[in-house]
Amino acid sequence: QVQLVESGGGSVQPGGSLRLSCVASGSISDINAMSWYRQAPGKQRELVAAITSSSSTNYADSVKGRFLISRDSAKNTVYLQMNSLKPEDTAVYYCHATTSDGKYEYNYWGQGTQVTVSS
């Protein structure tokens, strides 16, 4: 079992920055990858950025060059630095982690944190 707790959301003007944090606890040694997803009202949840246990990263095209995902293994924390924020970045952001026992893959979600970009 893995527990995820996000923080760092809030309201910001277009062009501003926010940094989201996700602290993992529980069976953290089993985590293969961690990701940030977001879900805007009336839209499907979408992948924003992901980082593997070997620190490989990938990003949605819409955030490339603006967002940066990173991890601090000593703190069991993954961050999402969001710069040059746009109104279309407004959404609930969720932390996600995957583990595997070699046969099955397990998915874990945080409770979500609201990000609002508005003038």
Side-chain angles (χ1 to χ4, degrees):
Q1 291 285 329
V2 173
Q3 295 78 44
L4 303 171
V5 178
E6 304 106 330
S7 61
S11 295
V12 65
Q13 292 187 340
S17 298
L18 284 173
R19 188 177 80 158
L20 306 182
S21 300
C22 173
V23 179
S25 60
S27 302
I28 55 177
S29 61
D30 296 335
I31 294 176
N32 297 325
M34 294 188 72
S35 308
W36 287 96
Y37 283 74
R38 67 186 180 188
Q39 187 167 20
K43 295 188 177 181
Q44 289 189 331
R45 191 171 297 189
E46 62 175 358
L47 176 67
V48 176
I51 186 166
T52 69
S53 56
S54 59
S55 296
S56 295
T57 60
N58 67 283
Y59 297 89
D61 288 342
S62 59
V63 307
K64 282 181 181 176
R66 300 189 297 121
F67 290 12
L68 177 69
I69 189 170
S70 61
R71 66 193 300 165
D72 184 335
S73 297
K75 296 182 178 180
N76 303 321
T77 301
V78 171
Y79 302 99
L80 185 67
Q81 177 67 44
M82 305 186 293
N83 301 320
S84 302
L85 283 161
K86 304 176 180 180
E88 51 263 43
D89 294 318
T90 295
V92 178
Y93 284 70
Y94 296 91
C95 183
H96 173 260
T98 59
T99 65
S100 175
D101 61 7
K103 185 175 182 180
Y104 299 106
E105 185 175 86
Y106 302 91
N107 294 280
Y108 300 93
W109 295 92
Q111 81 284 357
T113 185
Q114 177 71 47
V115 171
T116 302
V117 184
S118 174
S119 55

